[in-house]
Amino acid sequence: SNSEQTHLHSWPPLSLWALSTSAGRSRPPDPCPMAHEATMRPWDRRKGTRRSLLRAVAACTALVVAALAYAPPAVVFSLFSSGAQELTLEAADAMASASLAEAKARKFGEISVFVVDATGRVLVSKTMLGCPRLIPSLAHAKAGAAIGTHSSSRALKDKYVPERTPQLVAMTNIANANNQPFCAVPGGVLVRDRSGNVVGAIGVSGAAADEDEHCAIAGARAVGLVTEPAESVLKKVR
């Protein structure tokens, strides 16, 4: 009725806005945002600050993920978290592929490659189709010997054979009893970063022992890692 309409228009503007929002319409633009900001409660300001920080973090995360997706393995390996350096899955995969490529290029026998991290966990294993069934286990054991003693499997053989062979046999038995593959035959190479930190090991088996070691060194160097031994015996001969 007319009396109701007159009564409605006599309400203050704030009441009109309350009716509009209750009817589902959006709030009109604030005519004085600075004044509104000054009257905001501290809790409202904190919520706005948190939203801004979350947006910034999300944008930075998206940029990092996009950069890693197109970065080469050597670059990916150099990116670490919390100061603790770890061998990445991408770098381990590149190491194994480089070892296989080296064996093919030099026409060595069919090989198997295992790459483990600093804890001995297998990150990547690759085996040529012509390898006998025992070969992958030997490659794993060579990598396990290297990471388990922080030395190359060749260094273990040279240290204990022949004078201290019983001690090496005991070490092998203890490792196997604790489900830690262990084989002191050349082909297990310890890998470090440029600062000297142990980040993992690579084991190769299937070709001659010196050839296995050569392929392991080639794989680790393909992603910029420092190896023990530093040089391949085959390279020294040349």
Side-chain angles (χ1 to χ4, degrees):
S1 65
N2 292 334
S3 60
E4 290 176 342
Q5 291 179 359
T6 302
H7 179 68
L8 178 64
H9 287 292
S10 66
W11 288 2
L14 181 60
S15 299
L16 287 174
W17 173 81
L19 287 176
S20 66
T21 54
S22 64
R25 292 191 293 271
S26 60
R27 181 176 180 176
D30 194 337
C32 188
M34 296 298 293
H36 178 69
E37 176 68 21
T39 59
M40 287 178 65
R41 291 174 299 176
W43 174 251
D44 294 330
R45 293 195 192 98
R46 287 197 294 270
K47 286 197 295 185
T49 302
R50 286 174 183 161
R51 282 195 293 267
S52 299
L53 288 174
L54 287 174
R55 292 191 191 101
V57 170
C60 291
T61 302
L63 288 174
V64 171
V65 170
L68 288 176
Y70 293 96
V75 174
V76 174
F77 173 75
S78 66
L79 300 176
F80 304 103
S81 60
S82 304
Q85 301 192 347
E86 297 176 351
L87 187 60
T88 64
L89 183 62
E90 293 81 5
D93 185 68
M95 289 168 64
S97 295
S99 295
L100 294 178
E102 184 71 10
K104 291 179 181 177
R106 290 184 171 255
K107 296 180 170 53
F108 294 157
E110 304 275 296
I111 65 169
S112 178
V113 184
F114 272 71
V115 181
V116 301
D117 65 9
T119 68
R121 175 180 54 179
V122 177
L123 296 180
V124 173
S125 65
K126 295 187 177 183
T127 301
M128 292 181 173
L129 297 180
C131 281
R133 290 184 60 186
L134 183 60
I135 297 303
S137 297
L138 293 175
H140 188 190
K142 290 180 183 182
I147 200 62
T149 60
H150 283 193
S151 63
S152 71
S153 55
R154 176 185 291 277
L156 285 171
K157 178 187 76 68
D158 293 343
K159 180 178 180 180
Y160 291 102
V161 177
E163 291 83 3
R164 301 161 66 186
T165 300
Q167 186 174 347
L168 182 59
V169 172
M171 291 170 60
T172 303
N173 291 336
I174 292 171
N176 291 332
N178 288 276
N179 296 318
Q180 297 181 29
F182 191 97
C183 180
V185 176
V189 173
L190 188 71
V191 292
R192 300 177 182 268
D193 62 16
R194 294 294 180 181
S195 299
N197 302 305
V198 173
V199 294
I202 178 171
V204 178
S205 188
D210 290 345
E211 295 171 347
D212 291 339
E213 184 181 77
H214 175 86
C215 292
I217 293 173
R221 287 188 172 181
V223 295
L225 291 171
V226 179
T227 62
E228 292 182 20
E231 296 288 341
S232 165
V233 172
L234 301 182
K235 199 169 183 179
K236 288 180 180 178
V237 171
R238 291 196 177 100

